[in-house]
Amino acid sequence: MSDRPRIGVIIGSTRDARFADKPAQWFLKLAQAREDMTFERLDLRDFDLPFFNEKASNLWMPSEDPRAVRWQETLAGFDGFVVVTAEYNHSVPAALKNALDQAYREWMRKPMGFIGYGGTGAARAIEHLRGIAVELQMVPLRNAVHIGGGEFMKVHPRGENGPMEAIAHAIEPAARALLDELAWWARLTRQGRLADRAAQQAA
């Protein structure tokens, strides 16, 4: 097992016309330059999750749908997450909310950071995600990346469609603050989960 926390960067939209790939690629390039964590892309398109239809959360009983189980098994291998999200009608994309609902134990006691884009930088969606993360017994991070307003239109295809580097001066400080906070919490929560596991094995 690597000593470096393993972080999943979740692409929170499955729409054909989604914008998420562009900021996600920029963030991954920045994150992967660090030496204290490893980062991998988790695209919800690759998991074909059904709408949540289990008898209960997997906190209480095992899930039955193999697609949900595969998602849970994937999440279990990570020490933290960064979600790249849009904002739909002042809240979270349905595909992302469904993905959060399809697991529980695999989210617990891990940090979650956020990158949002849209007119308000997905600020309202991210606030909703923080509340969901608390209910999942996670650590939602304070620092987040908000790509909104004029900066959003500089890089969006319906605006100037410029490269992410055109707005890096505006969003990179927030991204670096998010990464620093993520590294701290990922390290601490990982140590705590490993200690819990050792205590259970010794009991």
Side-chain angles (χ1 to χ4, degrees):
M1 180 184 295
S2 171
D3 289 335
R4 295 190 293 169
R6 186 179 176 218
I7 308 299
V9 177
I10 299 174
I11 311 300
S13 172
T14 58
R15 291 173 56 233
D16 290 342
R18 72 184 182 188
F19 173 70
D21 298 282
K22 194 169 183 176
Q25 183 176 357
W26 173 84
F27 178 76
L28 276 165
K29 182 178 179 181
L30 183 71
Q32 288 169 344
R34 295 180 68 108
E35 298 182 352
D36 54 352
M37 297 176 283
T38 64
F39 292 82
E40 299 174 39
R41 174 186 170 114
L42 290 176
D43 192 338
L44 295 185
R45 284 180 180 170
D46 296 335
F47 290 89
D48 188 30
L49 288 168
F51 279 116
F52 182 74
N53 193 32
E54 301 293 336
K55 294 183 176 67
S57 160
N58 79 329
L59 176 65
W60 306 113
M61 61 189 304
S63 298
E64 297 177 356
D65 193 299
R67 294 168 293 181
V69 173
R70 175 176 170 249
W71 174 239
Q72 293 162 9
E73 290 173 346
T74 300
L75 297 176
F78 288 90
D79 299 300
F81 304 92
V82 175
V83 175
V84 182
T85 186
E87 178 175 306
Y88 300 160
N89 299 317
H90 287 211
S91 194
V92 182
L96 175 56
K97 179 59 167 66
N98 183 58
L100 292 165
D101 293 341
Q102 293 282 6
Y104 194 104
R105 293 181 179 276
E106 297 77 15
W107 297 119
M108 288 171 59
R109 302 184 178 96
K110 298 176 183 179
M112 178 175 278
F114 309 98
I115 299 170
Y117 57 87
T120 64
R124 294 162 296 206
I126 287 174
E127 277 306 295
H128 289 181
L129 286 167
R130 288 190 174 112
I132 294 166
V134 169
E135 176 57 27
L136 293 171
Q137 301 185 50
M138 304 185 76
V139 182
L141 303 186
R142 175 196 179 277
N143 289 289
V145 179
H146 297 278
I147 305 169
E151 304 303 330
F152 176 61
M153 294 310 297
K154 287 178 183 177
V155 294
H156 194 272
R158 296 185 67 180
E160 298 176 28
N161 201 25
M164 291 297 297
E165 288 72 20
I167 63 168
H169 66 282
I171 62 173
E172 188 171 320
R176 292 192 182 278
L178 184 161
L179 287 165
D180 288 343
E181 186 183 4
L182 177 63
W184 197 90
W185 282 111
R187 184 177 69 253
L188 257 352
T189 54
R190 184 172 185 262
Q191 290 171 355
R193 293 195 316 276
L194 290 172
D196 285 350
R197 190 179 307 163
Q200 291 168 2
Q201 292 172 347

